[in-house]
Amino acid sequence: MKALVLSGGSGTRLRPLTHTSAKQLVPVANKPILFYVLEGIAEAGVTEVGIIVGDTAPEIRAAVGDGSAFGLKVTYIPQERPLGLAHAVRIARDWLGDDDFVMYLGDNFLVGGIADQLADFRDTTPDAQIMLTRVSNPSAFGVAELDDEGRVVALEEKPAFPKSDLALVGVYFFTPAIHDAVNAIAPSARGELEITDAIQWLIDHDAKVRSSVVTGYWKDTGNATDMLEVNRTVLDRLDPRCEGTVDEESELVGRVVIEPGATVSRSRIVGPAIIGRGTRIEGSYIGPFTSVADHCTIADSEIEYSIVLTGATIDGVRRIEASMIGRDVAVTPAPRTPQAHRLILGDHSKVQIRS
């Protein structure tokens, strides 16, 4: 059994953060989404991992290395352009060989990992196994249609008129039968080789395709709102610890993690929250569901329900919330300039001006 992890793509929905960083490496609770994926694969007992990489390959390689930190053996597979999930399977054909494999989208977050689903796949031996979850906006996903007995009868990628609310989770289990399917399909109207079309080809050729409905937490972290929600979910599971320095004038409330080398002075931090290594918090309020990465500075400011990336500075800002602050960003107050009102008023006018 192998794992194929997709870490290409341009991350357009997370711009401008992804102009300079791979979307799979944007952190939640100070750990890249991709690391949660790799940890879940390792916990399921799969050790051989192929990572599909594109323009951000150097950054992915620098972060993951040879995979030994995760107990994995990693091979990098270049993809010149993101031409669809089935295209990723096609270019990985030589590396995959005749092994069964799990394909995992590197920007998907799934609570509980994949060990149970993998065991089910091995026990029931279908040609393909997909994971589904009910969503309120199925048009944004690949959607599955099931018959009365729960068997998959049709799949459609981002349909304008969805036939169900069951979206495909970004984790798929395949036997080598999928290779015939990806070689048989043509690009969709989007110009991509869709994995939904490949699985539909299997269904149309009487292959055995199973599904299971995910009842736990799953999120495609494609935009800032989703990232903040996943950050909140992960922080809510923190075990509090303090390995940095907190002075007597400061207060830590609830599940707060202070990493080694961090300093907190004259501040109040209400968890769940995490403060990264070497970060300085001074005269500030850090509210719930906030992760502050390594080597940041937050002084005389207030922030909550936010993600602050490495090296950022927030100084003298009264209130920030529901925000993502990129690497080495500086957020400071605007300069104070004289303000004036320009009025041209007719006779007998009445004007109220807030002073």
Side-chain angles (χ1 to χ4, degrees):
M1 189 81 184
K2 292 178 178 176
L4 186 66
V5 177
L6 275 59
S7 292
S10 55
T12 54
R13 291 179 294 163
L14 270 173
R15 288 177 179 169
L17 289 175
T18 50
H19 277 307
T20 55
S21 176
K23 64 178 179 178
Q24 297 84 6
L25 295 182
V26 176
V28 293
N30 288 0
K31 183 163 65 175
I33 285 287
L34 179 59
F35 287 15
Y36 294 97
V37 170
L38 296 176
E39 288 170 355
I41 289 169
E43 289 169 3
V46 179
T47 58
E48 289 190 73
V49 178
I51 300 183
I52 301 290
V53 291
D55 292 342
T56 58
E59 190 178 9
I60 298 290
R61 286 175 179 268
V64 177
D66 63 2
S68 57
F70 305 91
L72 303 172
K73 179 182 177 182
V74 168
T75 299
Y76 294 95
I77 303 168
Q79 184 182 37
E80 292 185 4
R81 287 190 299 154
L83 296 176
L85 305 187
H87 179 259
V89 174
R90 181 180 288 185
I91 65 173
R93 178 68 176 93
D94 289 343
W95 179 79
L96 288 167
D98 292 326
D99 292 314
D100 294 347
F101 66 99
V102 53
M103 185 170 75
Y104 204 137
L105 306 193
D107 58 356
N108 275 226
F109 183 85
L110 181 65
V111 170
I114 61 170
D116 291 344
Q117 291 82 5
L118 177 56
D120 189 40
F121 174 70
R122 283 173 164 162
D123 289 342
T124 56
T125 63
D127 295 294
Q129 181 171 304
I130 61 175
M131 297 169 62
L132 306 173
T133 189
R134 297 192 182 279
V135 296
S136 59
N137 57 335
S139 293
F141 303 93
V143 174
E145 182 183 358
L146 308 182
D147 64 15
D148 293 338
E149 297 181 5
R151 292 174 298 199
V152 183
V153 296
L155 298 172
E156 191 173 4
E157 185 65 30
K158 297 181 174 61
F161 303 100
K163 296 180 180 178
S164 82
D165 62 352
L166 291 171
L168 276 75
V169 171
V171 181
Y172 309 81
F173 299 89
F174 295 120
T175 66
I178 193 65
H179 298 303
D180 290 336
V182 300
N183 287 329
I185 62 173
S188 67
R190 300 194 304 165
E192 298 186 0
L193 291 175
E194 310 286 2
I195 198 65
T196 45
D197 289 345
I199 299 171
Q200 183 66 53
W201 188 92
L202 290 175
I203 295 170
D204 294 342
H205 288 77
D206 298 322
K208 183 180 179 183
V209 178
R210 296 186 70 254
S211 70
S212 60
V213 177
V214 176
T215 57
Y217 184 84
W218 165 79
K219 183 66 69 173
D220 173 4
T221 59
N223 57 51
T225 299
D226 292 337
M227 289 292 300
L228 290 171
E229 184 180 329
V230 173
N231 192 59
R232 176 177 184 144
T233 299
V234 177
L235 288 177
D236 216 12
R237 299 164 183 265
L238 283 181
D239 293 321
R241 56 184 169 84
C242 181
E243 299 179 79
T245 302
V246 180
D247 72 2
E248 294 181 354
E249 297 181 66
S250 297
E251 182 182 15
L252 307 183
V253 181
R255 297 186 299 281
V256 175
V257 172
I258 308 294
E259 298 282 13
T263 60
V264 179
S265 61
R266 299 182 294 104
S267 298
R268 188 168 191 259
I269 302 178
V270 179
I274 184 169
I275 309 300
R277 294 172 180 267
T279 285
R280 179 173 64 91
I281 309 294
E282 181 179 316
S284 295
Y285 167 76
I286 310 296
F289 306 112
T290 300
S291 61
V292 182
D294 298 347
H295 307 297
C296 295
T297 297
I298 299 181
D300 301 319
S301 299
E302 300 177 4
I303 184 170
E304 71 175 43
Y305 191 50
S306 294
I307 298 173
V308 182
L309 274 61
T310 302
T313 297
I314 302 172
D315 191 350
V317 180
R318 292 188 61 182
R319 187 71 172 181
I320 296 174
E321 62 182 28
S323 300
M324 294 185 67
I325 310 297
R327 294 172 176 83
D328 300 313
V329 165
V331 182
T332 58
R336 293 185 178 180
T337 57
Q339 295 182 353
H341 302 281
R342 181 175 182 267
L343 307 174
I344 300 175
L345 303 175
D347 297 345
H348 310 296
S349 297
K350 292 184 179 180
V351 177
Q352 292 181 322
I353 297 177
R354 185 182 299 275
S355 58

